[in-house]
Amino acid sequence: MPAPTEFIKYVDAHKDAFIARLGEAVAIPSVSGDPSHRQDVINMAGFIKRLLEPLGVKVELKDIGMEKQTDGSELPLPPVVFGVLGDNPNKKTILLYAHYDVQPALVTDGWNTDPFTLSPDNEGRLFGRGSTDDKGPLIAWINIIEAHVKLGLELPVNLRFCFEGMEESGSEGLDDLIIREKNGFFESCDCVCICDNYWMNDRTPCLTYGVRGMSYYRLVVSGPARDLHSGLFGNTVHEPMTDLILLMSKLVTPNGEILIPGLDKLVAPLTDTERKRYETLDFALTDIEDQVGAKIVLSDDKARVLMGRMRNPSLSLHGIEGAFYGPGAKTVIPAKVQGKFSIRLVPNMTPENVDPLVVKYLHDEFAKLKSKNTLKVENIHGGKPWMADPDHWNYRAAIKATEKVYKKKPDLTREGGSIPVTLTFADVLGLNVLLLPMGRGDDGAHSTNEKLDTYNYIEGTKLLGTYLHEIAVTN
Ligand SMILES: NCC(=O)N[C@@H](Cc1c[nH]cn1)C(=O)O
Ligand SMILES: [Zn+2]
Ligand SMILES: [Zn+2]
């Protein structure tokens, strides 16, 4: 069943209103990782509720408890937005997941525009934090419902919305809620669609059947009781920062090789058939170069590069809390520094089998330094990798929808990023999960100058709406 022409026409005719709505969403700085923005994240949930209710969606803001901060204090977790639209037992019920929180963003990070003001340029790119990850897709679902309501068109499926506000910070509280509501809110769901990842390039749509998991670590080195003067105490005491830099340099080589013994043995072996799949995907090394804005790809071998993103683990160093980073030349010896790094996990790695290897290795390396400082290694949050069976009506419907909207066959990909809830939906609810991306590989999610192309926003809205119509008639 193709999406009705009136729907497609409505989306085109309401392009400016849809962009304005995305602008309102981007203007709420719902940064889940920054406690000072927690109220903004909570306000974002209210904003979504106010958009959904007039469209006939029954909305409930589910309280998921408190988040413990490192100083022992507690912050309320942003609610999970549950929505119900339709309860016809003769229709399939589709669970739609998106997240309404965003990564931090400061103009001083290198943004060309205010990150929380949606700023179009003359090529139709819409710049703003969350434009592609994940407010564009979330707002698109609302646009689709609005189009159907305003046109008096019946949706061919029942819908359940699950929109969370902590995805960028480890999805705290969500797994427990899903387990609690398995036989409640989620009971009638037949499959899941998540729109929260990206095409591999700027031209070929894709469907994604796998994501990497993640283990995120904090490495705390502390020594003196307070920050010290380096003139008075340099070459006099063990310096935490010196120990930390040394430890962090032992985690990964500049070529991306992870140095923690035993991790490579956990990775599922590669078969010839699988390797061939990477060789045939529509992808060129220049796609990566365009996306990162520099010619710094690790290898000339296309399959090696794709496997580095999709089916092999990676270890990235993210930052050092407590280190001096301001302008000027402060001659401080920081008393306590925390190194942050994460490992992207692939089948058959889990936080449970990776953590002990990481902790042991770092303590062994620290012991070699013979430092009198102290070391603590903590896993801050994590999630397992996930893979689905793309030979399923959920995927077949998405392929048909993509061909109708983009006139192209989508590539089947695995995603390098992590969306921990995919595995929870699959395991706890026993449902097929589809990742159906809207944005392009060069959107700059998590980066400065994140954007969503107007083309992808508008055609992506048609794609998601068409998918709902196709799924009703696909077996
Ligand atoms: N679009 C999905 C995404 O960006 N997920 C994050 C999840 C995460 C986990 N810890 C911090 N963020 C990702 O980095 O892959
Ligand atoms: Zn996301
Ligand atoms: Zn993200």
Side-chain angles (χ1 to χ4, degrees):
M1 188 198 296
T5 347
E6 307 98 282
F7 164 71
I8 302 291
K9 282 193 185 143
Y10 186 98
V11 175
D12 281 327
H14 289 77
K15 182 173 92 178
D16 291 343
F18 289 172
I19 292 174
R21 183 174 286 157
L22 178 56
E24 285 179 55
V26 167
I28 303 173
S30 50
V31 181
S32 56
D34 179 346
S36 72
H37 279 298
R38 185 53 54 91
Q39 191 53 47
D40 294 313
V41 189
I42 294 169
N43 292 347
M44 186 70 203
F47 171 78
I48 296 167
K49 184 175 190 298
R50 285 193 297 281
L51 287 177
L52 284 172
E53 279 182 337
L55 301 174
V57 180
K58 247 185 281 148
V59 179
E60 204 183 333
L61 299 185
K62 295 296 283 190
D63 180 3
I64 49 168
M66 305 293 282
E67 182 191 22
K68 240 207 164 69
Q69 303 295 292
T70 38
D71 64 2
S73 64
E74 289 195 327
L75 270 181
L77 284 164
V80 174
V81 181
F82 272 0
V84 175
L85 186 61
D87 240 333
N88 183 336
N90 299 319
K91 292 179 181 177
K92 286 180 186 145
T93 300
I94 319 300
L95 173 60
L96 307 176
Y97 164 91
H99 64 90
Y100 62 81
D101 62 321
V102 295
Q103 288 276 323
L106 299 171
V107 179
T108 51
D109 294 338
W111 283 74
N112 298 326
T113 54
D114 170 19
F116 297 106
T117 303
L118 190 72
S119 308
D121 73 356
N122 51 20
E123 288 172 44
R125 296 178 296 187
L126 306 166
F127 291 91
R129 176 54 92 222
S131 53
T132 193
D133 181 16
D134 188 30
K135 290 181 174 176
L138 190 155
I139 296 296
W141 289 121
I142 298 174
N143 298 339
I144 292 163
I145 311 305
E146 179 200 271
H148 282 78
V149 169
K150 292 278 164 68
L151 293 167
L153 282 173
E154 186 182 336
L155 272 166
V157 288
N158 305 312
L159 294 177
R160 298 289 176 271
F161 303 90
C162 175
F163 295 154
E164 72 156 319
M166 281 299 281
E167 197 273 347
E168 301 291 11
S169 302
S171 292
E172 191 167 339
L174 185 61
D175 279 2
D176 290 344
L177 179 70
I178 295 170
I179 293 165
R180 277 201 307 278
E181 293 286 342
K182 176 177 157 59
N183 299 316
F185 176 77
F186 296 105
E187 184 161 34
S188 58
C189 297
D190 293 304
C191 70
V192 186
C193 178
I194 297 178
C195 186
D196 184 23
N197 70 306
Y198 319 96
W199 300 353
M200 279 193 303
N201 49 41
D202 59 4
R203 53 189 180 276
T204 312
C206 62
L207 315 185
T208 304
Y209 64 97
V211 295
R212 295 197 289 188
M214 123 153 348
S215 263
Y216 199 112
Y217 298 95
R218 172 165 51 215
L219 195 55
V220 189
V221 183
S222 37
R226 66 191 72 86
D227 287 358
L228 303 174
H229 186 307
S230 66
L232 300 182
F233 298 103
N235 200 11
T236 310
V237 298
H238 288 282
E239 298 192 18
M241 185 83 152
T242 313
D243 293 350
L244 181 71
I245 297 284
L246 222 120
L247 286 181
M248 290 184 85
S249 76
K250 303 239 153 153
L251 291 166
V252 63
T253 70
N255 275 334
E257 186 196 345
I258 301 177
L259 296 172
I260 301 164
L263 280 198
D264 51 342
K265 296 197 181 62
L266 299 173
V267 178
L270 175 70
T271 61
D272 282 349
T273 330
E274 191 192 341
R275 190 183 162 97
K276 282 206 188 79
R277 248 183 260 149
Y278 299 109
E279 280 159 4
T280 54
L281 291 175
D282 177 19
F283 170 82
L285 295 176
T286 46
D287 290 324
I288 297 275
E289 291 172 349
D290 291 347
Q291 287 163 26
V292 303
K295 295 186 185 307
I296 53 170
V297 189
L298 281 177
S299 160
D300 290 340
D301 177 353
K302 166 181 152 176
R304 144 77 178 95
V305 173
L306 277 181
M307 289 192 291
R309 174 188 280 187
M310 294 183 183
R311 68 100 55 216
N312 286 329
S314 60
L315 188 155
S316 301
L317 306 178
H318 302 301
I320 298 181
E321 199 176 321
F324 166 61
Y325 66 93
K330 187 177 179 188
T331 52
V332 67
I333 297 174
K336 175 178 166 185
V337 278
Q338 306 185 30
K340 312 272 180 80
F341 70 95
S342 71
I343 304 177
R344 298 284 173 171
L345 311 179
V346 295
N348 303 314
M349 302 167 94
T350 61
E352 291 71 30
N353 63 22
V354 165
D355 280 2
L357 299 175
V358 174
V359 173
K360 178 179 181 326
Y361 174 67
L362 283 166
H363 279 288
D364 288 352
E365 290 301 314
F366 186 64
K368 289 183 196 164
L369 304 184
K370 302 208 182 315
S371 169
K372 291 182 185 163
N373 290 322
T374 55
L375 169 72
K376 202 161 70 179
V377 185
E378 291 172 321
N379 180 324
I380 314 181
H381 66 247
K384 292 180 189 162
W386 157 85
M387 280 228 281
D389 177 8
D391 186 14
H392 188 278
W393 47 262
N394 197 13
Y395 281 77
R396 286 194 282 280
I399 291 171
K400 284 197 263 169
T402 308
E403 287 171 343
K404 287 199 168 134
V405 172
Y406 287 109
K407 319 281 178 252
K408 267 187 169 180
K409 203 173 168 53
D411 268 333
L412 276 177
T413 65
R414 284 166 64 178
E415 170 71 36
S418 310
I419 311 173
V421 75
T422 45
L423 187 78
T424 316
F425 285 142
D427 280 3
V428 174
L429 306 181
L431 299 176
N432 178 273
V433 182
L434 159 77
L435 300 196
L436 184 53
M438 169 177 276
R440 303 179 185 182
D442 66 352
D443 280 356
H446 293 204
S447 182
T448 49
N449 303 312
E450 174 182 347
K451 59 89 178 160
L452 175 65
D453 291 77
T454 302
Y455 175 80
N456 283 58
Y457 182 41
I458 296 305
E459 298 308 301
T461 302
K462 293 178 193 168
L463 170 70
L464 298 178
T466 304
Y467 156 76
L468 297 182
H469 284 269
E470 290 299 335
I471 207 160
V473 292
T474 305
N475 293 307

